[in-house]
Amino acid sequence: MLISAFGVYLNSKLINPLVFYTSLHAICWPIDGLLIGILLLCSRRNWPWIMAGYMITTGTQLRLLGQPLSQVAGDVGCNVFEMVFAAAMLPGFTNLSDWLRRPGLILRFSVVVLIGAPLIPAVPWSAYTHVHLGEEFWSTVQHWVSGDALGIALFTPLVLVLASRETYLLLRPGQRLKTLVMFGLLLGTSWFIFHQTAYPVAFLIFPILVLMVDRVGFPGAVLAVNLVTIIAAHGTIGGMGPFMFVQGHHEPYRIMTLQAYLTIAMVMSFAITLTARDRDDFQEQLKLALQQMEVLATRDGLTGLGNRRLFDQTLDAEWGRARRQGMSIGLLLLDVDYFKSYNDMYGHLAGDHCLCAIASSFGTHLKRAGDLAARYGGEEFVVLLPGATLEDASVIAESIRKGVEALGLEHKGNATGVVTISVGFSAVVPGTVRPSQRLIAAADEALYAAKQGGRNRGVSASSHVPEACEA
């Protein structure tokens, strides 16, 4: 209630007298936009208290000006309906980024709130003033709707922007100079447009607003349109600016044109902001989709390890790098012992769980950047070890073998009583050609030897590639 009363007092003592009154009527009514913004910031259970503060303050003010009670009740009641209706039609505000992404926001704001909310109460109020005060009906409707629409368009976003942390980031060190330059350009252009009568160049403000949305975002654009309003109102009331060319210089037409111009500027800022955010959201979703596609294309769906495609690509790249730099490259081939009998005994679902458990254990033993574990096919795995010597490969192979055995996965078909693996490993320094498949063949021969030797063991291949393969 106190906030509402203070808003009404500030509006009547500072904002309206400063720029928004002409000799005939108000250019806009800021209080409606201010209180709609406050309603959006507050829980709906507090709305009655906010409106009560407005009704008491405004009603008292109008009575002190000598208005009859029935007129005060009608005026205040119509404004309360307008503000509550407008706030109810807009999504509640938590933060600016989420609020701007709410579905249908631009349609609700530009049509329902800016047109519908002022128009609905304007009709009964204009009928009242026509009957009791002799005012022209359509002229009253026009003044009510245009003034309130502009007040809502300017001040509701302004309240939300000032309540948003995003706004104050415009003054952070890395952004401050850009912000000042953009506002300087806007204010200079606005002053030129509305303080001369030689050129009808009102359109110049729109490309600058588009640029501001791009450079300083929606908060900057909202602040910009409000600053343009001050300059435009000052110039137009003073008989300057492009709207002096409208309808033989008659003030009501100039003011109507100015109101439409400023309202369109704010709605345009809304539309551009939402379009830009939709574009950014689409780009982010596309980026995530591409990342997911890349994962699906290079990862094994069961174990989450790299798949055969990723392994082949990585082997080619690392083999070429090792050859250029004269480094060794190691490789392990691992096979789950008696896995067919495990599937027959425990079922394929248990077999899948077994493979996943083994794959998960690899991370404990592969600590070096660049090491790659992949599923090679069926129950076979491969580990690529860039920069590893045969001795390094031997240590890692034994560590992985012991780690799998330590998992203690029951396997009654294995003499050990638990799941084990056999490992064949090799390491070479590549020669002048690209016989990377020979590295795999050597590890495969070693794996065969490990199986023939009783399984649950690691066997090394020759530490060199035959000259015939290095021609």
Side-chain angles (χ1 to χ4, degrees), residues 8 52-69 72-73 75-76:
V8 173
Y54 166 79
M55 288 188 288
I56 293 170
T57 307
T58 305
T60 302
Q61 187 180 44
L62 294 177
R63 286 292 289 161
L64 291 175
L65 292 174
Q67 291 189 12
L69 185 60
V72 171
D75 190 354
V76 172

PDB file of all heavy atoms in Angstrom, residues 8 52-69 72-73 75-76:
ATOM      1  N   VAL A   8       2.016   6.891  -6.739  1.00  0.00           N
ATOM      2  CA  VAL A   8       1.049   7.904  -7.167  1.00  0.00           C
ATOM      3  C   VAL A   8       1.576   9.297  -6.870  1.00  0.00           C
ATOM      4  O   VAL A   8       1.474  10.224  -7.687  1.00  0.00           O
ATOM      5  CB  VAL A   8      -0.309   7.682  -6.464  1.00  0.00           C
ATOM      6  CG1 VAL A   8      -1.270   8.825  -6.772  1.00  0.00           C
ATOM      7  CG2 VAL A   8      -0.917   6.351  -6.902  1.00  0.00           C
ATOM      8  N   ALA A  52      -5.464  -0.921  -3.058  1.00  0.00           N
ATOM      9  CA  ALA A  52      -6.075  -0.106  -1.997  1.00  0.00           C
ATOM     10  C   ALA A  52      -5.269   1.167  -1.777  1.00  0.00           C
ATOM     11  O   ALA A  52      -5.835   2.261  -1.589  1.00  0.00           O
ATOM     12  CB  ALA A  52      -6.161  -0.917  -0.706  1.00  0.00           C
ATOM     13  N   GLY A  53      -3.952   1.050  -1.790  1.00  0.00           N
ATOM     14  CA  GLY A  53      -3.108   2.241  -1.649  1.00  0.00           C
ATOM     15  C   GLY A  53      -3.334   3.219  -2.775  1.00  0.00           C
ATOM     16  O   GLY A  53      -3.403   4.438  -2.561  1.00  0.00           O
ATOM     17  N   TYR A  54      -3.479   2.683  -4.001  1.00  0.00           N
ATOM     18  CA  TYR A  54      -3.738   3.560  -5.149  1.00  0.00           C
ATOM     19  C   TYR A  54      -5.085   4.251  -5.012  1.00  0.00           C
ATOM     20  O   TYR A  54      -5.207   5.467  -5.239  1.00  0.00           O
ATOM     21  CB  TYR A  54      -3.699   2.735  -6.438  1.00  0.00           C
ATOM     22  CG  TYR A  54      -4.269   3.472  -7.625  1.00  0.00           C
ATOM     23  CD1 TYR A  54      -3.520   4.429  -8.294  1.00  0.00           C
ATOM     24  CD2 TYR A  54      -5.581   3.224  -8.063  1.00  0.00           C
ATOM     25  CE1 TYR A  54      -4.050   5.126  -9.378  1.00  0.00           C
ATOM     26  CE2 TYR A  54      -6.111   3.904  -9.139  1.00  0.00           C
ATOM     27  CZ  TYR A  54      -5.342   4.852  -9.794  1.00  0.00           C
ATOM     28  OH  TYR A  54      -5.870   5.536 -10.854  1.00  0.00           O
ATOM     29  N   MET A  55      -6.112   3.495  -4.634  1.00  0.00           N
ATOM     30  CA  MET A  55      -7.462   4.068  -4.552  1.00  0.00           C
ATOM     31  C   MET A  55      -7.543   5.144  -3.478  1.00  0.00           C
ATOM     32  O   MET A  55      -8.134   6.207  -3.693  1.00  0.00           O
ATOM     33  CB  MET A  55      -8.483   2.960  -4.284  1.00  0.00           C
ATOM     34  CG  MET A  55      -8.725   2.046  -5.479  1.00  0.00           C
ATOM     35  SD  MET A  55     -10.092   0.871  -5.239  1.00  0.00           S
ATOM     36  CE  MET A  55      -9.346  -0.251  -4.041  1.00  0.00           C
ATOM     37  N   ILE A  56      -6.929   4.889  -2.322  1.00  0.00           N
ATOM     38  CA  ILE A  56      -6.981   5.879  -1.243  1.00  0.00           C
ATOM     39  C   ILE A  56      -6.240   7.152  -1.638  1.00  0.00           C
ATOM     40  O   ILE A  56      -6.750   8.265  -1.485  1.00  0.00           O
ATOM     41  CB  ILE A  56      -6.387   5.284   0.046  1.00  0.00           C
ATOM     42  CG1 ILE A  56      -7.290   4.160   0.574  1.00  0.00           C
ATOM     43  CG2 ILE A  56      -6.194   6.372   1.110  1.00  0.00           C
ATOM     44  CD1 ILE A  56      -6.686   3.358   1.697  1.00  0.00           C
ATOM     45  N   THR A  57      -5.027   6.977  -2.187  1.00  0.00           N
ATOM     46  CA  THR A  57      -4.209   8.139  -2.537  1.00  0.00           C
ATOM     47  C   THR A  57      -4.829   8.944  -3.680  1.00  0.00           C
ATOM     48  O   THR A  57      -4.973  10.159  -3.599  1.00  0.00           O
ATOM     49  CB  THR A  57      -2.799   7.684  -2.928  1.00  0.00           C
ATOM     50  OG1 THR A  57      -2.260   6.864  -1.904  1.00  0.00           O
ATOM     51  CG2 THR A  57      -1.890   8.887  -3.126  1.00  0.00           C
ATOM     52  N   THR A  58      -5.204   8.250  -4.744  1.00  0.00           N
ATOM     53  CA  THR A  58      -5.758   8.938  -5.903  1.00  0.00           C
ATOM     54  C   THR A  58      -7.128   9.526  -5.590  1.00  0.00           C
ATOM     55  O   THR A  58      -7.442  10.664  -5.988  1.00  0.00           O
ATOM     56  CB  THR A  58      -5.863   7.979  -7.096  1.00  0.00           C
ATOM     57  OG1 THR A  58      -4.577   7.407  -7.354  1.00  0.00           O
ATOM     58  CG2 THR A  58      -6.349   8.698  -8.343  1.00  0.00           C
ATOM     59  N   GLY A  59      -7.958   8.759  -4.880  1.00  0.00           N
ATOM     60  CA  GLY A  59      -9.285   9.262  -4.523  1.00  0.00           C
ATOM     61  C   GLY A  59      -9.206  10.514  -3.678  1.00  0.00           C
ATOM     62  O   GLY A  59      -9.932  11.492  -3.902  1.00  0.00           O
ATOM     63  N   THR A  60      -8.314  10.508  -2.704  1.00  0.00           N
ATOM     64  CA  THR A  60      -8.138  11.687  -1.861  1.00  0.00           C
ATOM     65  C   THR A  60      -7.656  12.875  -2.679  1.00  0.00           C
ATOM     66  O   THR A  60      -8.139  14.010  -2.515  1.00  0.00           O
ATOM     67  CB  THR A  60      -7.128  11.378  -0.739  1.00  0.00           C
ATOM     68  OG1 THR A  60      -7.597  10.260   0.021  1.00  0.00           O
ATOM     69  CG2 THR A  60      -6.944  12.587   0.170  1.00  0.00           C
ATOM     70  N   GLN A  61      -6.716  12.623  -3.568  1.00  0.00           N
ATOM     71  CA  GLN A  61      -6.176  13.695  -4.410  1.00  0.00           C
ATOM     72  C   GLN A  61      -7.257  14.311  -5.296  1.00  0.00           C
ATOM     73  O   GLN A  61      -7.360  15.543  -5.409  1.00  0.00           O
ATOM     74  CB  GLN A  61      -5.046  13.119  -5.271  1.00  0.00           C
ATOM     75  CG  GLN A  61      -4.285  14.144  -6.083  1.00  0.00           C
ATOM     76  CD  GLN A  61      -3.191  13.485  -6.912  1.00  0.00           C
ATOM     77  OE1 GLN A  61      -3.422  12.449  -7.531  1.00  0.00           O
ATOM     78  NE2 GLN A  61      -2.021  14.078  -6.907  1.00  0.00           N
ATOM     79  N   LEU A  62      -8.089  13.469  -5.901  1.00  0.00           N
ATOM     80  CA  LEU A  62      -9.146  13.985  -6.776  1.00  0.00           C
ATOM     81  C   LEU A  62     -10.228  14.720  -5.994  1.00  0.00           C
ATOM     82  O   LEU A  62     -10.776  15.722  -6.474  1.00  0.00           O
ATOM     83  CB  LEU A  62      -9.762  12.831  -7.581  1.00  0.00           C
ATOM     84  CG  LEU A  62      -8.827  12.153  -8.592  1.00  0.00           C
ATOM     85  CD1 LEU A  62      -9.533  10.984  -9.274  1.00  0.00           C
ATOM     86  CD2 LEU A  62      -8.328  13.146  -9.639  1.00  0.00           C
ATOM     87  N   ARG A  63     -10.550  14.229  -4.803  1.00  0.00           N
ATOM     88  CA  ARG A  63     -11.541  14.924  -3.981  1.00  0.00           C
ATOM     89  C   ARG A  63     -11.046  16.298  -3.563  1.00  0.00           C
ATOM     90  O   ARG A  63     -11.804  17.274  -3.547  1.00  0.00           O
ATOM     91  CB  ARG A  63     -11.874  14.087  -2.752  1.00  0.00           C
ATOM     92  CG  ARG A  63     -12.743  12.881  -3.031  1.00  0.00           C
ATOM     93  CD  ARG A  63     -14.160  13.283  -3.443  1.00  0.00           C
ATOM     94  NE  ARG A  63     -14.900  13.824  -2.300  1.00  0.00           N
ATOM     95  CZ  ARG A  63     -15.975  14.566  -2.392  1.00  0.00           C
ATOM     96  NH1 ARG A  63     -16.453  14.916  -3.574  1.00  0.00           N
ATOM     97  NH2 ARG A  63     -16.615  15.013  -1.302  1.00  0.00           N
ATOM     98  N   LEU A  64      -9.741  16.393  -3.269  1.00  0.00           N
ATOM     99  CA  LEU A  64      -9.177  17.684  -2.900  1.00  0.00           C
ATOM    100  C   LEU A  64      -9.201  18.662  -4.073  1.00  0.00           C
ATOM    101  O   LEU A  64      -9.194  19.889  -3.879  1.00  0.00           O
ATOM    102  CB  LEU A  64      -7.741  17.510  -2.398  1.00  0.00           C
ATOM    103  CG  LEU A  64      -7.594  16.799  -1.050  1.00  0.00           C
ATOM    104  CD1 LEU A  64      -6.127  16.566  -0.723  1.00  0.00           C
ATOM    105  CD2 LEU A  64      -8.270  17.593   0.064  1.00  0.00           C
ATOM    106  N   LEU A  65      -9.230  18.132  -5.301  1.00  0.00           N
ATOM    107  CA  LEU A  65      -9.325  18.984  -6.487  1.00  0.00           C
ATOM    108  C   LEU A  65     -10.764  19.378  -6.788  1.00  0.00           C
ATOM    109  O   LEU A  65     -11.016  20.101  -7.764  1.00  0.00           O
ATOM    110  CB  LEU A  65      -8.726  18.258  -7.699  1.00  0.00           C
ATOM    111  CG  LEU A  65      -7.204  18.033  -7.655  1.00  0.00           C
ATOM    112  CD1 LEU A  65      -6.766  17.176  -8.834  1.00  0.00           C
ATOM    113  CD2 LEU A  65      -6.457  19.365  -7.653  1.00  0.00           C
ATOM    114  N   GLY A  66     -11.700  18.888  -5.974  1.00  0.00           N
ATOM    115  CA  GLY A  66     -13.086  19.319  -6.111  1.00  0.00           C
ATOM    116  C   GLY A  66     -13.959  18.417  -6.950  1.00  0.00           C
ATOM    117  O   GLY A  66     -15.101  18.788  -7.252  1.00  0.00           O
ATOM    118  N   GLN A  67     -13.488  17.241  -7.354  1.00  0.00           N
ATOM    119  CA  GLN A  67     -14.316  16.355  -8.163  1.00  0.00           C
ATOM    120  C   GLN A  67     -15.382  15.700  -7.296  1.00  0.00           C
ATOM    121  O   GLN A  67     -15.127  15.331  -6.146  1.00  0.00           O
ATOM    122  CB  GLN A  67     -13.465  15.277  -8.833  1.00  0.00           C
ATOM    123  CG  GLN A  67     -12.543  15.798  -9.918  1.00  0.00           C
ATOM    124  CD  GLN A  67     -11.886  14.668 -10.689  1.00  0.00           C
ATOM    125  OE1 GLN A  67     -12.266  13.510 -10.565  1.00  0.00           O
ATOM    126  NE2 GLN A  67     -10.890  15.021 -11.508  1.00  0.00           N
ATOM    127  N   PRO A  68     -16.607  15.541  -7.841  1.00  0.00           N
ATOM    128  CA  PRO A  68     -17.669  14.873  -7.068  1.00  0.00           C
ATOM    129  C   PRO A  68     -17.329  13.413  -6.816  1.00  0.00           C
ATOM    130  O   PRO A  68     -16.572  12.789  -7.570  1.00  0.00           O
ATOM    131  CB  PRO A  68     -18.903  15.010  -7.958  1.00  0.00           C
ATOM    132  CG  PRO A  68     -18.374  15.255  -9.328  1.00  0.00           C
ATOM    133  CD  PRO A  68     -17.086  15.993  -9.152  1.00  0.00           C
ATOM    134  N   LEU A  69     -17.914  12.866  -5.779  1.00  0.00           N
ATOM    135  CA  LEU A  69     -17.593  11.505  -5.354  1.00  0.00           C
ATOM    136  C   LEU A  69     -17.891  10.483  -6.444  1.00  0.00           C
ATOM    137  O   LEU A  69     -17.113   9.535  -6.657  1.00  0.00           O
ATOM    138  CB  LEU A  69     -18.372  11.160  -4.085  1.00  0.00           C
ATOM    139  CG  LEU A  69     -18.058   9.796  -3.451  1.00  0.00           C
ATOM    140  CD1 LEU A  69     -16.587   9.722  -3.062  1.00  0.00           C
ATOM    141  CD2 LEU A  69     -18.956   9.560  -2.233  1.00  0.00           C
ATOM    142  N   VAL A  72     -15.125  10.601  -8.976  1.00  0.00           N
ATOM    143  CA  VAL A  72     -13.899  10.007  -8.417  1.00  0.00           C
ATOM    144  C   VAL A  72     -14.004   8.488  -8.421  1.00  0.00           C
ATOM    145  O   VAL A  72     -13.069   7.781  -8.819  1.00  0.00           O
ATOM    146  CB  VAL A  72     -13.655  10.526  -6.988  1.00  0.00           C
ATOM    147  CG1 VAL A  72     -12.522   9.742  -6.320  1.00  0.00           C
ATOM    148  CG2 VAL A  72     -13.336  12.010  -7.007  1.00  0.00           C
ATOM    149  N   ALA A  73     -15.170   7.970  -7.989  1.00  0.00           N
ATOM    150  CA  ALA A  73     -15.352   6.520  -7.931  1.00  0.00           C
ATOM    151  C   ALA A  73     -15.251   5.913  -9.327  1.00  0.00           C
ATOM    152  O   ALA A  73     -14.622   4.858  -9.522  1.00  0.00           O
ATOM    153  CB  ALA A  73     -16.691   6.185  -7.299  1.00  0.00           C
ATOM    154  N   ASP A  75     -13.688   7.189 -12.047  1.00  0.00           N
ATOM    155  CA  ASP A  75     -12.325   7.339 -12.558  1.00  0.00           C
ATOM    156  C   ASP A  75     -11.395   6.307 -11.922  1.00  0.00           C
ATOM    157  O   ASP A  75     -10.680   5.563 -12.613  1.00  0.00           O
ATOM    158  CB  ASP A  75     -11.844   8.763 -12.276  1.00  0.00           C
ATOM    159  CG  ASP A  75     -10.534   9.079 -12.977  1.00  0.00           C
ATOM    160  OD1 ASP A  75      -9.947   8.165 -13.581  1.00  0.00           O
ATOM    161  OD2 ASP A  75     -10.099  10.242 -12.927  1.00  0.00           O
ATOM    162  N   VAL A  76     -11.408   6.249 -10.595  1.00  0.00           N
ATOM    163  CA  VAL A  76     -10.524   5.323  -9.881  1.00  0.00           C
ATOM    164  C   VAL A  76     -10.891   3.879 -10.197  1.00  0.00           C
ATOM    165  O   VAL A  76     -10.011   3.035 -10.440  1.00  0.00           O
ATOM    166  CB  VAL A  76     -10.583   5.583  -8.366  1.00  0.00           C
ATOM    167  CG1 VAL A  76      -9.829   4.495  -7.601  1.00  0.00           C
ATOM    168  CG2 VAL A  76     -10.014   6.952  -8.037  1.00  0.00           C
TER     169      VAL A  76
END
